[in-house]
Amino acid sequence: MRTVTSPEQTISEAEIEHAVREGIRRYFDDCRARVPTFIDRHFHYPGAITTNRRALGWDMLRAPINLLWAPIYALACLTKILLPRRTGLIWLHSLADRVPAGFTTRVQHHISQLILVELLNNGQESPLIERYLVEALEAVYDRHNCESIDHQKFSELVHPLIADTLSQYRVTRTAAADITNSIGCTVLGAFAFQKFTPGGIGLGVVLASMMAKTLAARDFILGETIGGWYYSVFPPEPSLATTASVMVAVMAALAAFAALSGVIFDPVQAAIGLHRRRLHKLLDHLQQDVTLSTQNSFRPKDQFVARILDTFDMVRSGFL
């Protein structure tokens, strides 16, 4: 930023930079102060119901597609992290840059708009951060009797950062739904079948085995009762068709559940502080990027946790 001079006074770059940093700091401090109210309004009951009821409709189709696409997007993100642009594989880095995060569901769009309007702009139509910046700079310029400067370049920097940060936050919704499914499958397998089923694949294998046992016992030559005893000792191997069909049914049920799981798990995440930590991390990274004029650094780890759980599920089920 250039030093501004007038016939009377000179404003140093250090003064301007200090004013900008102070305005940014005050803005993000106020944003953090709004986080508890924001969470209470939208992630606790009854707000969680209002937030997640938008999943009814096309989101029931978008959510399953996002879950299937999530491993590909996670691999693209990992590629960008492990392969800096200066390496000889810059073409691979560029290819990973073009991989989309998936479909934006109505719930994701709604929450992004809530963060933008309520958390970042406090209900104002115009970007609130600019007002903080203008106030901080005007105080400096008033002290030196200088004319104000144009803030257009600052706006051009901030808006893409906010858009990219909100895009990354939407990815956490898909990851959270995936993690929720893994936890739900584990709990269901433990209590209903006394089996360790760390995901949809594991649950599908267990259900396919149970179906194969039931069908084999029904057709047992000495009767279903004796067949049940026999196949309890010598369980039959389910056919590939049976396993595949059961897995498809389980995945479809999990996908439908994922679209609406926020009604149950948003209040849980709010109660244990996950939403608070995630929003504070979003604001911390956004403040850092705006202050240092860097690219978006907000890369939540939720999607990688979800992929680790998926991999463990496949290993446990014998698919890897």
Side-chain angles (χ1 to χ4, degrees), residues 130 133-134 149-160:
E130 293 184 15
L133 180 68
V134 169
I149 63 172
D150 181 16
H151 309 292
Q152 184 63 33
K153 289 185 177 180
F154 183 79
S155 300
E156 292 173 356
L157 165 69
V158 171
H159 293 168

Side-chain angles (χ1 to χ4, degrees), residues 193-214:
F193 311 117
Q194 289 76 54
K195 300 284 186 180
F196 180 54
T197 55
I201 295 177
L203 185 61
V205 169
V206 169
L207 291 176
S209 298
M210 293 179 62
M211 180 177 290
K213 176 182 174 182
T214 301

Side-chain angles (χ1 to χ4, degrees), residues 59-298:
D59 276 12
M60 303 293 286
L61 179 61
R62 295 188 188 102
I65 295 175
N66 284 345
L67 288 177
L68 293 174
W69 183 255
I72 299 174
Y73 181 70
L75 181 61
C77 291
L78 196 60
T79 299
K80 290 189 287 186
I81 293 173
L82 298 179
L83 295 177
R85 289 186 181 276
R86 61 179 178 273
T87 64
L89 297 175
I90 190 171
W91 63 270
L92 187 58
H93 196 289
S94 300
L95 181 63
D97 267 337
R98 292 196 292 270
V99 175
F103 289 107
T104 300
T105 66
R106 291 181 63 202
V107 174
Q108 289 174 337
H109 177 73
H110 176 64
I111 294 176
S112 295
Q113 286 300 113
L114 290 175
I115 293 174
L116 180 63
V117 174
E118 295 187 16
L119 193 61
L120 297 180
N121 290 330
N122 198 24
Q124 305 293 320
E125 293 184 4
S126 58
L128 189 60
I129 189 172
E130 293 184 15
R131 195 179 77 185
Y132 281 76
L133 180 68
V134 169
E135 290 176 355
L137 288 173
E138 283 181 347
V140 174
Y141 279 77
D142 287 344
R143 289 199 302 269
H144 291 270
N145 298 318
C146 294
E147 295 182 359
S148 184
I149 63 172
D150 181 16
H151 309 292
Q152 184 63 33
K153 289 185 177 180
F154 183 79
S155 300
E156 292 173 356
L157 165 69
V158 171
H159 293 168
L161 281 175
I162 292 176
D164 195 15
T165 300
L166 292 178
S167 174
Q168 288 298 317
Y169 186 83
R170 287 194 291 269
V171 172
T172 68
R173 298 291 300 184
T174 300
D178 211 350
I179 294 171
T180 296
N181 280 345
S182 296
I183 295 173
C185 289
T186 303
V187 172
L188 179 61
F191 285 94
F193 311 117
Q194 289 76 54
K195 300 284 186 180
F196 180 54
T197 55
I201 295 177
L203 185 61
V205 169
V206 169
L207 291 176
S209 298
M210 293 179 62
M211 180 177 290
K213 176 182 174 182
T214 301
L215 293 176
R218 187 186 62 185
D219 298 333
F220 194 65
I221 190 171
L222 298 178
E224 185 172 350
T225 301
I226 297 177
W229 295 340
Y230 176 80
Y231 288 117
S232 295
V233 179
F234 305 101
E237 190 72 23
S239 67
L240 182 60
T242 299
T243 302
S245 59
V246 171
M247 280 189 180
V248 169
V250 169
M251 292 300 184
L254 290 176
F257 175 71
L260 298 170
S261 61
V263 174
I264 301 172
F265 288 98
D266 270 339
V268 174
Q269 293 181 66
I272 64 179
L274 281 180
H275 279 306
R276 177 182 55 80
R277 285 193 291 272
R278 193 176 293 139
L279 289 172
H280 275 285
K281 184 176 292 187
L282 180 152
L283 293 172
D284 290 343
H285 281 273
L286 191 54
Q287 179 177 355
Q288 170 188 308
D289 297 335
V290 171
T291 303
L292 302 178
S293 300
T294 59
Q295 292 183 338
N296 174 35
S297 63
F298 180 58

